[in-house]
Amino acid sequence: MNRRVLWIVCAGVAVALLLAWLLFFRSGRMTPVEEDLPATIAPTPTPAPKQQVVLLFPGRDGLLHPELRQVSLPKESDTRIQVLVEELLAGPTSGLAPVIPYSAELRAVFVGQNNQAYIDLTGPPEPLDGSMTELMLTYGLVNTILLNTEVTAVQLLFDGSQRPTLTGHLDLSRPLVLNKRFISGP
Amino acid sequence: MRRTVVFILVFAVASVVVCVAQGLPPTLEFRHQGLRIEADTLRDRVEMAPIMSLLGGEMTFSASAGVWALSLGENLIQIAPDRRLILVNGELVEAQDPPMTSPTGVAVTLAFLDRHILATFGFHLETFTGGYSIVPGVRFGDTVSIRPITADFGATTTLVLALSRAVSVSVEEIPEGGLAILFENASPQIDAPTPLRSRRVRSLTAGSGRLDVDLAIDVGLLSWNILTNPDRIVLEFGRVPPTPTPAPVRVVEYSGPAPIVIDPGHGGDDTGAIGAPGQMEKDLTLTIARRLTQALRARGYTVRLTRNSDIERALTDRTALANRLEARLFISLHANSSTISSVRGAETYYMSLDDRASDAAAQSTADLENRASGGSSATGSPLDLILWDMAQSEVLNESSRLALAVQGRLNALLNLRDRGVKQAPFVVLTGATMPAVLVEVGFLSNKAERDRLLSPDHQQRLADAIALGIGDFLGGS
């Protein structure tokens, strides 16, 4: 190989190595502990078995009605809640009404050490009204999560914030526990 | 050829320099226990991963929840990029600057790092030229968050101030009334300030290094303690003997027979449900409330309205008014709405205490405080607990009876679809110290029912039915 060409290739490789070093290894230069402690643990998706879950949707009688569905349900509480909320957001399949009367998205799920879950949803684009709307939305979510997971209470957040109430009735400032009064009897 | 090689090399070096200048941020050095690390900064934020490595903590990501978990020892902080709310050891905290996604995970501002992460782990930042040392101990003078809980017992009131961290305090009684809690090197900040629901503790005001407690007339401090696990200050108030100095003159807002307080739901900018353009729940509830007032006055009752015009009133102020007036009853009037247009009928709600996790927690806290005030006995001071339970049960039982009486009359007189008596943790019923109900007179979202609700005849019959229900309850109580 021509010596000059070899020179150019070497220079190119050197520049590439320098760039790679600058881009990927410049941060976190702490030699004593850096090799022992991984900076992050990459999420490893684990296949979850399908299970039957109970989803609650409002019916014409103004009560929550169960809809059974087979879904892949992970073991971890936060991912389990995420699956359940996504199923609720996808809507009912049996003629019931949607739990959330607007096109909502799940922003984040927190599960605290005390086993209380915090569900952060996008807020309604227009103000909602009626205690019925508020009760069905709140307990459709809260009861569904509590019936299918091991969390003990659920607090709803909207657009990343706590809201004292959604339509001016229900106290949403604190985590709520299971309320069977709004679930239709057999 | 040599020129070509030189040109390529110069071009490559220049490219690298441009890359460094434009794309790569500067680094900050952090030191901790003899170790040092450099962390990249992104705009005004610093990478968390190297700092967690330096501290010997763990940082994991839940892809589905979109949440990073930072843990050190028994402390756990959960943060999500672009979210102000973070979960610190199970407590929700609102931060000023949200974290942002970064090449190695998540980056936070130095203020966020110091106040929320390092403070939780028991450290704080100290500067040196070119970087920061992470040193043990929470920074003095930092904010301490306070979550107040009050519980009125028979003759005493317990005020629990749940603290975000341990503090040193002293308590001074103010000659004009009330007392000041003085914090040593800490600034108290009340979390989500809401009116206190106590007959003896009127308000809390956080200032620089102090928290002022305003007390009702003739109420004084009986005892106070600092307790740990969780960190909290517990104060007990009760009636104190009159002092030789004259008590401050206070305006008595109302003196007469205990009134029935009627609360027309919503008002002002809060329209409530809207049946059709111009048909708003706030107007309907005010109209029915005025008719109900007349109907009750005709029966010899004293009545007060929480609002008598189209004004906005905080939900907690409505119940607070009833408590301040020591009302006989509290009736909140509403009209409902549903996305399912066929839903119709009237329903009456009373308070549900067991739906809120914090009520159970508050009860546990009251239990804990009673045990603490009762000394080392495991059973503590059962008298206050019994009084607490009795007071709560009595109000709920009476509210349940009132709800049944009102709903019964609505069903009988109006041929409405009976949606029954229900319990829910409604804000406006929270903390009421008298029988309290919320009446949903019908659905504005149902066309047939909306037409009836807007008719003056039907409104009068609704008011008469509710008045009869109230009469049934008071006559039989």
Side-chain angles (χ1 to χ4, degrees):
Chain A
M1 190 183 283
N2 188 317
R3 199 172 168 184
R4 283 177 185 165
V5 174
L6 192 66
W7 228 90
I8 291 167
V9 170
C10 286
V13 169
V15 168
L17 285 173
L18 180 66
L19 269 175
W21 177 80
L22 282 167
L23 283 170
F24 298 110
F25 300 110
R26 195 159 170 267
S27 171
R29 290 187 297 258
M30 185 187 61
T31 42
V33 291
E34 189 185 34
E35 289 171 4
D36 297 336
L37 290 168
T40 58
I41 295 172
T44 49
T46 49
K50 283 210 167 192
Q51 289 179 38
Q52 182 170 275
V53 295
V54 180
L55 304 172
L56 295 170
F57 293 100
R60 288 174 186 277
D61 54 0
L63 291 171
L64 294 165
H65 291 255
E67 186 176 297
L68 301 177
R69 213 174 278 183
Q70 293 282 337
V71 296
S72 294
L73 213 53
K75 205 174 172 184
E76 300 77 21
S77 290
D78 51 359
T79 45
R80 208 175 169 94
I81 290 169
Q82 196 240 353
V83 169
L84 291 165
V85 175
E86 296 293 353
E87 287 293 329
L88 282 175
L89 293 179
T93 57
S94 52
L96 297 167
V99 164
I100 302 180
Y102 61 92
S103 179
E105 287 177 20
L106 179 63
R107 287 161 50 103
V109 176
F110 298 96
V111 178
Q113 282 171 317
N114 48 6
N115 236 9
Q116 291 187 351
Y118 298 83
I119 314 296
D120 184 10
L121 296 162
T122 51
E126 300 287 331
L128 301 177
D129 55 27
S131 62
M132 170 73 69
T133 306
E134 195 170 30
L135 285 163
M136 293 297 103
L137 185 156
T138 302
Y139 285 112
L141 282 159
V142 170
N143 286 348
T144 295
I145 291 166
L146 292 173
L147 287 172
N148 295 288
T149 67
E150 290 181 355
V151 299
T152 54
V154 177
Q155 177 160 6
L156 300 183
L157 311 171
F158 293 92
D159 294 325
S161 297
Q162 286 173 296
R163 291 226 189 150
T165 179
L166 200 56
T167 70
H169 308 88
L170 205 53
D171 183 357
L172 299 179
S173 66
R174 303 167 192 200
L176 294 165
V177 297
L178 189 68
N179 184 335
K180 293 179 181 171
R181 299 182 190 98
F182 297 100
I183 301 175
S184 172
Chain B
M1 190 64 188
R2 177 173 286 179
R3 280 183 185 173
T4 309
V5 171
V6 170
F7 175 77
I8 289 169
L9 280 174
V10 168
F11 180 76
V13 170
S15 301
V16 169
V17 170
V18 168
C19 269
V20 170
Q22 289 190 343
L24 292 175
T27 60
L28 269 180
E29 184 179 323
F30 289 87
R31 295 178 184 169
H32 177 63
Q33 294 179 345
L35 299 173
R36 56 180 290 278
I37 196 168
E38 286 194 7
D40 277 342
T41 60
L42 303 163
R43 280 180 277 169
D44 59 343
R45 286 167 170 78
V46 61
E47 289 275 13
M48 267 316 299
I51 296 168
M52 288 304 292
S53 295
L54 183 68
L55 295 172
E58 285 186 4
M59 183 167 156
T60 55
F61 182 62
S62 167
S64 55
V67 171
W68 284 92
L70 316 178
S71 61
L72 183 67
E74 292 182 352
N75 295 300
L76 176 67
I77 302 168
Q78 289 168 273
I79 59 179
D82 306 320
R83 305 281 185 271
R84 286 184 192 281
L85 287 172
I86 60 175
L87 207 58
V88 179
N89 289 332
E91 291 288 327
L92 212 56
V93 175
E94 186 158 3
Q96 290 291 320
D97 314 302
M100 62 181 275
T101 303
S102 69
T104 62
V106 68
V108 300
T109 61
L110 286 170
F112 187 106
L113 172 68
D114 199 20
R115 177 148 298 185
H116 299 297
I117 297 174
L118 296 181
T120 304
F121 295 158
F123 302 113
H124 70 274
L125 289 176
E126 284 185 3
T127 55
F128 64 86
T129 308
Y132 293 88
S133 289
I134 298 174
V135 295
V138 176
R139 184 187 299 281
F140 289 125
D142 268 354
T143 304
V144 56
S145 296
I146 293 174
R147 189 163 53 86
I149 303 164
T150 54
D152 281 349
F153 300 109
T156 63
T157 290
T158 299
L159 168 65
V160 181
L161 302 172
L163 306 167
S164 58
R165 63 180 171 89
V167 288
S168 293
V169 298
S170 57
V171 175
E172 282 183 7
E173 293 199 63
I174 300 170
E176 296 81 26
L179 53 94
I181 302 171
L182 305 174
F183 289 72
E184 215 171 281
N185 295 316
S187 299
Q189 184 180 313
I190 302 170
D191 273 356
T194 50
L196 293 171
R197 300 172 187 285
S198 167
R199 290 182 175 177
R200 298 185 184 91
V201 182
R202 290 191 161 161
S203 66
L204 299 176
T205 311
S208 177
R210 63 186 285 157
L211 183 76
D212 290 323
V213 183
D214 184 25
L215 300 172
I217 300 170
D218 293 341
V219 172
L221 181 66
L222 300 178
S223 67
W224 71 278
N225 288 290
I226 297 182
L227 303 173
T228 56
N229 195 27
D231 294 312
R232 61 201 190 280
I233 304 168
V234 181
L235 305 106
E236 192 180 19
F237 303 101
R239 187 168 289 276
V240 290
T243 55
T245 52
V249 177
R250 291 180 193 265
V251 177
V252 178
E253 190 172 321
Y254 181 83
S255 62
I260 295 167
V261 171
I262 307 295
D263 170 43
H266 308 280
D269 288 341
D270 175 14
T271 60
I274 297 178
Q279 300 170 347
M280 292 179 280
E281 182 186 353
K282 65 173 184 176
D283 299 329
L284 178 64
T285 57
L286 183 56
T287 304
I288 297 174
R290 285 174 176 159
R291 290 177 184 276
L292 177 56
T293 301
Q294 287 172 354
L296 288 170
R297 283 183 179 153
R299 288 167 171 79
Y301 297 113
T302 305
V303 180
R304 288 287 297 268
L305 289 167
T306 57
R307 68 176 177 97
N308 200 3
S309 60
D310 184 18
I311 55 167
E312 195 158 349
R313 225 177 243 300
L315 292 169
T316 46
D317 287 351
R318 299 171 190 238
T319 329
L321 174 71
N323 285 349
R324 203 161 60 240
L325 295 174
E326 299 191 352
R328 298 176 79 174
L329 307 174
F330 178 78
I331 315 284
S332 188
L333 297 175
H334 287 255
N336 218 330
S337 177
S338 171
T339 51
I340 306 167
S341 60
S342 58
V343 179
R344 62 187 173 84
E347 55 202 345
T348 307
Y349 287 89
Y350 66 102
M351 186 60 186
S352 162
L353 287 178
D354 56 351
D355 285 0
R356 301 184 310 175
S358 52
D359 286 311
Q363 215 154 351
S364 305
T365 308
D367 187 2
L368 201 65
E369 308 325 340
N370 282 315
R371 286 179 188 186
S373 62
S376 57
S377 162
T379 53
S381 164
L383 180 61
D384 280 345
L385 278 178
I386 292 167
L387 286 170
W388 166 269
D389 283 343
M390 282 172 64
Q392 292 297 308
S393 300
E394 191 180 327
V395 168
L396 276 188
N397 285 340
E398 292 297 285
S399 299
S400 161
R401 280 206 316 114
L402 174 61
L404 281 167
V406 170
Q407 185 67 28
R409 286 292 185 171
L410 286 170
N411 294 341
L413 293 184
L414 300 172
N415 195 26
L416 290 171
R417 181 175 174 186
D418 178 19
R419 298 190 56 79
V421 168
K422 292 173 181 165
Q423 276 183 279
F426 284 148
V427 182
V428 80
L429 301 180
T430 306
T433 55
M434 73 292 300
V437 295
L438 184 149
V439 184
E440 292 279 7
V441 294
F443 280 77
L444 282 168
S445 49
N446 180 288
K447 189 180 179 311
E449 196 153 80
R450 180 172 66 234
D451 291 344
R452 283 212 297 171
L453 286 170
L454 295 171
S455 115
D457 283 352
H458 188 71
Q459 290 166 0
Q460 187 59 48
R461 288 196 297 145
L462 277 168
D464 288 340
I466 296 168
L468 280 169
I470 290 170
D472 291 344
F473 172 77
L474 290 175
S477 62

